[in-house]
Amino acid sequence: MPNTDHKTQTLESVTIRFAGDSGDGMQLTGTQFTNTAALKGSDLITLPDYPAEIRAPSGTLYGVSGFQIQFSSEKVYTPGDAPDVLVAMNPAALKVNLKILKTNGIIIVNTDAFKRRNLELADYQSNPLEDGSLDGYQVFQVPIMSLTRNALEDLSLSNKEKDLCKNFFALGITYWLFTQSLENTLNWIEGKFHNRTDMLEANQLALKAGYSYALSTEMFATSYSISKAKKRKGRYRNVTGNEALALGFITAAKLTDKELVLGSYPITPASDILHFLSKYRHFNVKTFQAEDEIAGIGAALGAAYAGAVGITTTSGPGIALKTEFMGLAVITELPLVIVNIQRGGPSTGLPTKTEQADLMQAIFGRNGEAPIPVIAAQSPADSFWAALEAVRIAFKFTTPVLLLSDGYLANGAEPWRIPDPSELPAIEVTYASDAEQFAPYKRSLDTLARQMALPGTPGFEHHIGGLEKDESGNVSYMPDNHDKMVHLRADKIERIREFTSHPAIDGPEMGELLLVSWGSTYGAIYTAIEQLRKEGYTVSWYHLRWINPLPGNLENYIHNFKTVLVPEINLGQLSKILRMEYLVDVRGFNKIRGLPLSTKDIVEAAKSYLKG
Amino acid sequence: MREPIINKAQFTAKDLAGEDIRWCPGCGDYAILSQMKKMLPKLGLPKENFVFVSGIGCSSRFPYYLSTYGFHGIHGRAPALASGIKLANPDLKVFVITGDGDGLSIGGNHFIHLCRRNIDITVILFNNQIYGLTKGQYSPTSEQGQITKSSPFGSIEPAFNPVTMALASGASFVARSTDREQKHLGEMLLRAAQHKGTSFVEVYQNCVIFNDGAYSDITDTKLKKDNLLIMEQGKPYVFGQNSDKAVNWNGNKFEVVPYNESTKSNNLFTHDEHGLRATTEFVLAGLSEQPDLPTPIGVFRNEKRDTYEALLEKQIEFVKQNKGEGRLVDLFNEGHTWTVD
């Protein structure tokens, strides 16, 4: 990196947000920044934030697509509440994101887009670059589009094609600002555009031009550097939550020496799992893009019955459709993992936004007494481990398992410490081996799992199905048998508690305030707890892994606090469950904005109880 | 994939008895079960390789009545379960047992997509033109005008023709039979089961309780010969009390012509299950919907086409050849990685 007279200041952590039109390539720009920062050794978490429309009319407020990343020399747990730097490609992107920007934050704007038409589309009465409304921020006005065109003037491309490269120009500026190397992105462009050498050259030129522009115009007085994060030794790569789930399921199939069959129907924000898995045919992954959500789970259940690792992936509306099959999986007691990447509801709701409002649906949303264990992933990389654990329990207890993730975890990325395959936990699968003693609903005394036998095994022919059965697998409408089977199915799920590790309480076992949480709020609450403790408060925290069954040790703590506070992105669903289970007057902190909870809000909510 | 070895089965029809049968006395389902039991040993497959999958309805109780592997699913969704079973283990011989309500109403979407994909599954649809298990509502194959519990003034809905649906959806083997023509039924079941790809047999089946006599025109001994046409490969469509009539394609439509020694040698249209054109195939499927034309039974279509699972296996092999057998260590270390010391 060329050295100039500029100062380089070292920061602990920075949050940067790229924002532009849906077609401006902001997700790509953000991903490139992420990978480059990760390679430099930063810890990070990302938050893609984009509209459901693929290409909303350009320049509009609802067409704004954003990508936020917090990168740091310390471990980070959230994508950052408020950005330090905003890259705004047009007025709409500025307007939508200005309110969350830190005071005195850096704004890099593409002035070429601040023309009358775009200002009108963004509902600006006057040009914010001229009317003083950006006072209090460090504004850097860059005609990104015309500079990109200038940089590419020797290339025989249309202006439209040249304009497609402007995001790389903007990226180049940020690379200079944060002393990042261009190499990773140059290589990526080379691989991506190897079939279009003109665009390859154009994008590389644009990136370099942006970098050189920042360097030579001395637009910034200071550039910033983030030291390498002190992380556990090992090899790392960035994964999104959906990617980590896919990796987890492939791994689980390998560990059980089985094929992986995914039955799935495209739905945002779960489709990426289908996309990832469909690339891995050489791992004996059979992806089946079904005709609808129902067939997706049906095929997965059929495959599970015939001996594969059966998985179905969807989001809330898809779960609604799969519900009847989930009941069949419960009564036939087959190992199956159902993944719900929760999004804003009800109905179609907010397809690309995050929410935690499907918890009640997961635990209770079926006809009859149909208990299903529910596990929640807590971070993008953790999704890998949640997938392994879900498959392990599905087989050990011959049961469907619901795995909850959400839009934020699914699309958010963080570094994943790559495990050594030989150190992964074993996944046990047991089949009946004595044909004389076999009956499909005979059970293990430990786990209450039923005996399984795969079709194709001689001497074990049997029937299963949605009608109530007795132990032999024959249909039975006898009152006592039904009562017994209903209890057995419920008791079996309760037994899972004895075969799973329980989270440890973080902080004292009694005191003024206990936070209880689940799923993707982990990062924001972690950071909030850290901050509260820095400020001298004493606070305890318990983050759930399994929500059904609840872990055994929570009972030991939950009664020991003056206040139990549950932050959730719903109207208090875990709160209700905890009240019901433990008869504790749980308080909720609930914001349902389609976004992760902010650390600041959680800190404030906690303080309001700590003061009293 | 295992090839059928004829007459090597180690079991007989008697070994196939399952749970106690709970169909109504006189139900047409008994005949289908009986022919199925006779047919299965002929496939030369071991008994443990048979899997019967069903949805909901009277017909869908079928798997319980056989001592093979059986999966009684949920309403209309048997094709989805069966597809998953076949994906996970292509060596299994998988049957879907369904009815007109289960297969064509609630399960219509799954049915057409199964046919389209050509997964090697044999679908037997018991068509009694009524909802039996819910006690007598009209079904998607009930005749327009039919009086049922839910249509006391007559159904105003036109009926589906299951064979037409299977043909249009791309099933590679499509046949029709009836519960009364036992030998014919047995033969259709055998041929469907031996076919590689999605095979479909519509069985006209009498519901003695809620729709008795729905098929009397082709079951009544007096009427039958004038109304039932048994299609045979390479032969003209001959029917009638004394086999004295034939259905002939005049280039535009099917019409009845006299059939006797003198007309025999005329250039009559002959049946070809391997290559009927869409025009004749579809008109044939709905032949009896036209006045004075008989109801054809037999094989409408029998074509060789790659099965879904064969194409999938081929693709897996192809990717393995290019990328090698997948190893976790490679999977984990894909893309950009970095080391922290």
Side-chain angles (χ1 to χ4, degrees):
Chain A
M1 193 163 302
N3 240 325
T4 69
D5 297 338
H6 283 91
K7 284 182 292 178
T8 297
Q9 189 187 335
T10 303
L11 297 176
E12 183 188 303
S13 120
V14 169
T15 298
I16 178 167
R17 189 174 181 97
F18 297 92
D21 256 334
S22 299
D24 278 344
M26 291 297 101
Q27 302 304 318
L28 170 62
T29 310
T31 306
Q32 281 304 310
F33 192 97
T34 303
N35 289 338
T36 296
L39 283 177
K40 208 183 164 194
S42 294
D43 197 33
L44 55 91
I45 290 206
T46 68
L47 172 69
D49 183 16
Y50 54 89
E53 292 74 19
I54 303 302
R55 293 277 187 279
S58 66
T60 58
L61 291 166
Y62 50 84
V64 174
S65 170
F67 189 103
Q68 186 169 319
I69 161 177
Q70 174 170 216
F71 60 112
S72 171
S73 56
E74 297 297 319
K75 177 101 184 99
V76 290
Y77 295 89
T78 76
D81 281 2
D84 303 291
V85 180
L86 171 66
V87 177
M89 299 301 281
N90 67 11
L94 177 67
K95 183 154 207 182
V96 168
N97 293 294
L98 188 63
K99 47 186 173 282
I100 58 168
L101 190 65
K102 259 186 204 147
T103 318
N104 201 33
I106 292 174
I107 302 173
I108 302 167
V109 281
N110 171 24
T111 51
D112 288 330
F114 281 67
K115 302 276 157 61
R116 214 181 84 196
R117 172 84 184 125
N118 279 334
L119 291 167
E120 278 169 17
L121 282 168
D123 280 341
Y124 274 121
Q125 308 303 324
S126 61
N127 189 341
L129 303 180
E130 294 161 1
D131 65 8
S133 60
L134 299 180
D135 292 352
Y137 299 100
Q138 308 172 52
V139 183
F140 297 91
Q141 301 195 22
V142 187
I144 292 177
M145 195 175 78
S146 31
L147 288 171
T148 307
R149 285 188 189 178
N150 289 346
L152 307 181
E153 67 185 345
D154 293 342
L155 301 184
S156 55
L157 289 168
S158 67
N159 275 343
K160 203 178 162 191
E161 285 169 315
K162 287 177 183 169
D163 291 348
L164 287 174
C165 304
K166 66 180 183 296
N167 58 329
F168 281 106
F169 190 97
L171 184 64
I173 296 176
T174 63
Y175 277 180
W176 186 86
L177 184 59
F178 294 105
T179 53
Q180 302 282 2
S181 150
L182 303 184
E183 194 188 341
N184 172 54
T185 298
L186 290 174
N187 289 342
W188 180 87
I189 293 170
E190 194 146 335
K192 177 77 181 172
F193 294 99
H194 67 276
N195 288 331
R196 273 211 66 181
T197 44
D198 51 348
M199 287 305 281
L200 189 160
E201 195 185 353
N203 281 313
Q204 288 193 338
L205 272 177
L207 180 75
K208 289 177 187 164
Y211 187 94
S212 307
Y213 176 82
L215 172 74
S216 57
T217 60
E218 307 188 354
M219 61 188 282
F220 305 108
T222 314
S223 65
Y224 302 97
S225 170
I226 309 290
S227 306
K228 265 192 173 182
K230 296 166 277 296
K231 292 176 73 77
R232 213 177 132 199
K233 272 189 184 178
R235 202 168 184 79
Y236 287 81
R237 71 185 262 200
N238 276 336
V239 288
T240 65
N242 275 345
E243 198 174 1
L245 283 175
L247 292 171
F249 290 130
I250 296 174
T251 305
K254 275 274 180 192
L255 294 176
T256 52
D257 201 18
K258 286 177 169 295
E259 289 183 350
L260 180 66
V261 175
L262 171 79
S264 190
Y265 186 77
I267 185 170
T268 304
S271 306
D272 273 342
I273 308 171
L274 169 64
H275 306 161
F276 287 125
L277 286 176
S278 61
K279 288 193 277 190
Y280 294 100
R281 292 275 193 250
H282 53 310
F283 282 79
N284 297 314
V285 174
K286 294 178 173 173
T287 48
F288 180 71
Q289 185 177 313
E291 58 272 22
D292 59 27
E293 292 283 357
I294 300 171
I297 184 173
L301 186 63
Y305 164 70
V309 174
I311 308 288
T312 188
T313 50
T314 188
S315 185
I319 292 287
L321 287 164
K322 293 181 195 294
T323 296
E324 190 186 8
F325 252 129
M326 286 161 62
L328 183 67
V330 169
I331 201 166
T332 54
E333 302 189 43
L334 286 167
L336 172 73
V337 178
I338 303 134
V339 177
N340 180 358
I341 311 294
Q342 299 167 94
R343 67 189 215 189
S347 187
T348 310
L350 306 170
T352 59
K353 307 292 177 186
T354 201
E355 202 160 282
Q356 292 186 301
D358 299 346
L359 182 62
M360 287 293 193
Q361 180 196 38
I363 297 181
F364 300 111
R366 289 164 292 283
N367 62 307
E369 295 289 353
I372 291 184
V374 179
I375 186 171
Q378 65 186 36
S379 79
D382 173 64
S383 301
F384 174 82
W385 301 103
L388 281 190
E389 176 75 343
V391 174
R392 179 179 79 87
I393 292 300
F395 276 100
K396 192 164 182 69
F397 288 83
T398 61
T399 179
V401 172
L402 240 162
L403 193 163
L404 294 179
S405 170
D406 59 35
Y408 160 53
L409 293 185
N411 291 316
E414 68 174 339
W416 172 56
R417 188 174 174 276
I418 296 169
D420 178 345
S422 65
E423 287 165 10
L424 294 169
I427 296 180
E428 241 179 276
V429 182
T430 317
Y431 292 110
S433 54
D434 182 351
E436 292 300 311
Q437 298 292 314
F438 174 71
Y441 290 92
K442 231 183 209 178
R443 288 164 197 285
S444 146
L445 294 175
D446 279 6
T447 60
L448 297 178
R450 75 169 180 88
Q451 291 194 343
M452 285 195 297
L454 297 179
T457 320
F460 290 84
E461 290 89 344
H462 65 277
H463 304 137
I464 56 170
L467 286 172
E468 186 66 281
K469 303 286 189 298
D470 62 20
E471 191 178 89
S472 72
N474 284 341
V475 174
S476 169
Y477 301 148
M478 301 305 287
D480 286 345
N481 179 66
H482 181 55
D483 186 64
K484 183 179 137 193
M485 294 299 270
V486 166
H487 277 100
L488 277 170
R489 287 188 288 262
D491 291 349
K492 184 175 81 168
I493 303 311
E494 292 295 308
R495 293 262 180 117
I496 292 172
R497 183 179 291 126
E498 297 163 29
F499 294 83
T500 46
S501 53
H502 300 160
I505 189 168
D506 178 357
E509 293 182 9
M510 58 178 67
E512 212 174 346
L513 179 65
L514 171 70
L515 269 69
V516 183
S517 54
W518 67 280
S520 71
T521 53
Y522 175 84
I525 298 176
Y526 186 100
T527 315
I529 297 271
E530 253 188 347
Q531 194 177 322
L532 285 162
R533 287 179 183 158
K534 263 186 205 161
E535 292 179 34
Y537 293 97
T538 303
V539 49
S540 299
W541 178 33
Y542 190 98
H543 191 80
L544 292 162
R545 173 55 133 194
W546 289 93
I547 306 157
N548 191 33
L550 286 164
N553 62 345
L554 182 53
E555 174 83 45
N556 304 342
Y557 315 126
I558 198 163
H559 303 285
N560 303 350
F561 292 84
K562 198 172 151 205
T563 306
V564 176
L565 176 65
V566 178
E568 287 181 275
I569 314 173
N570 60 40
L571 284 179
Q573 299 193 8
L574 180 64
S575 292
K576 288 192 183 79
I577 290 164
L578 295 179
R579 285 175 176 206
M580 181 181 82
E581 283 297 318
Y582 300 106
L583 299 176
V584 170
D585 185 18
V586 168
R587 299 299 154 134
F589 172 72
N590 309 95
K591 280 210 167 177
I592 310 105
R593 305 173 61 239
L595 292 168
L597 295 181
S598 78
T599 300
K600 182 170 145 270
D601 287 349
I602 297 166
V603 167
E604 276 168 22
K607 280 183 185 171
S608 73
Y609 291 102
L610 288 163
K611 277 175 199 155
Chain B
M1 218 172 294
R2 207 187 299 233
E3 287 300 320
I5 312 154
I6 304 300
N7 295 330
K8 283 280 174 62
Q10 302 294 306
F11 64 97
T12 64
K14 276 188 187 156
D15 300 318
L16 289 167
E19 294 181 34
D20 294 341
I21 302 178
R22 301 186 194 182
W23 285 320
C24 308
C27 176
D29 292 0
Y30 284 95
I32 308 172
L33 178 62
S34 154
Q35 289 306 318
M36 183 65 82
K37 285 184 185 170
K38 281 188 192 155
M39 184 278 284
L40 290 180
K42 295 182 189 164
L43 291 171
L45 296 170
K47 187 177 149 218
E48 64 270 16
N49 274 23
F50 294 111
V51 184
F52 281 80
V53 188
S54 63
I56 296 295
C58 294
S59 59
S60 287
R61 298 298 177 94
F62 198 92
Y64 291 120
Y65 307 145
L66 286 172
S67 65
T68 63
Y69 282 95
F71 198 155
H72 181 210
I74 53 176
H75 206 10
R77 321 299 178 196
L81 280 170
S83 299
I85 292 168
K86 198 68 189 173
L87 279 186
N89 186 354
D91 286 342
L92 298 171
K93 175 65 211 167
V94 180
F95 289 85
V96 164
I97 306 295
T98 184
D100 39 312
D102 187 67
L104 300 182
S105 197
I106 192 166
N109 193 32
H110 308 306
F111 172 70
I112 60 176
H113 288 280
L114 174 63
C115 294
R116 174 174 71 88
R117 293 189 182 106
N118 200 35
I119 302 179
D120 183 24
I121 290 169
T122 298
V123 183
I124 314 295
L125 185 141
F126 300 13
N127 184 4
N128 56 14
Q129 303 184 0
I130 197 82
Y131 280 95
L133 202 58
T134 50
K135 299 191 168 53
Q137 300 81 10
Y138 63 91
S139 89
T141 59
S142 295
E143 280 175 15
Q144 202 165 28
Q146 193 169 321
I147 307 282
T148 71
K149 282 237 183 79
S150 56
S151 58
F153 305 109
S155 161
I156 54 176
E157 298 184 15
F160 264 149
N161 179 328
V163 164
T164 307
M165 283 186 73
L167 291 171
S169 309
S172 53
F173 181 97
V174 181
R176 183 191 284 150
S177 191
T178 99
D179 55 1
R180 290 292 188 88
E181 303 295 322
Q182 304 233 355
K183 194 166 159 250
H184 185 266
L185 173 60
E187 191 196 322
M188 290 302 112
L189 293 180
L190 178 65
R191 293 193 54 198
Q194 285 173 332
H195 177 78
K196 280 261 166 275
T198 304
S199 51
F200 173 76
V201 183
E202 178 193 20
V203 184
Y204 288 153
Q205 172 251 322
N206 192 43
C207 172
V208 281
I209 306 296
F210 295 109
N211 201 15
D212 196 18
Y215 298 108
S216 56
D217 60 329
I218 58 162
T219 54
D220 187 296
T221 41
K222 283 183 200 141
L223 302 172
K224 179 173 128 176
K225 291 212 162 167
D226 279 329
N227 291 319
L228 188 66
L229 165 65
I230 300 174
M231 304 184 295
E232 291 178 83
Q233 177 65 15
K235 295 188 179 166
Y237 298 126
V238 178
F239 72 111
Q241 288 298 346
N242 305 304
S243 300
D244 52 357
K245 291 182 272 189
V247 174
N248 192 39
W249 180 252
N250 69 6
N252 186 26
K253 61 177 186 181
F254 280 110
E255 59 186 9
V256 177
V257 296
Y259 185 76
N260 51 45
E261 282 306 315
S262 63
T263 62
K264 229 177 197 172
S265 50
N266 288 2
N267 207 4
L268 289 176
F269 189 87
T270 55
H271 187 54
D272 181 11
E273 62 191 41
H274 306 298
L276 283 184
R277 290 194 190 168
T279 41
T280 46
E281 197 178 41
F282 282 92
V283 178
L284 205 55
L287 200 65
S288 62
E289 288 154 24
Q290 300 166 55
D292 305 324
L293 289 178
T295 302
I297 61 171
V299 178
F300 289 87
R301 180 191 289 168
N302 177 14
E303 71 181 23
K304 273 199 177 136
R305 192 145 57 84
D306 285 335
T307 64
Y308 180 97
E309 61 275 25
L311 291 172
L312 179 61
E313 292 294 341
K314 212 163 136 184
Q315 194 173 71
I316 289 172
E317 285 316 309
F318 174 78
V319 178
K320 279 183 182 172
Q321 269 172 19
N322 281 311
K323 299 191 172 179
E325 183 86 34
R327 297 187 316 149
L328 283 183
V329 66
D330 302 329
L331 175 76
F332 291 172
N333 288 284
E334 263 174 21
H336 290 289
T337 62
W338 67 95
T339 309
V340 174
D341 304 311

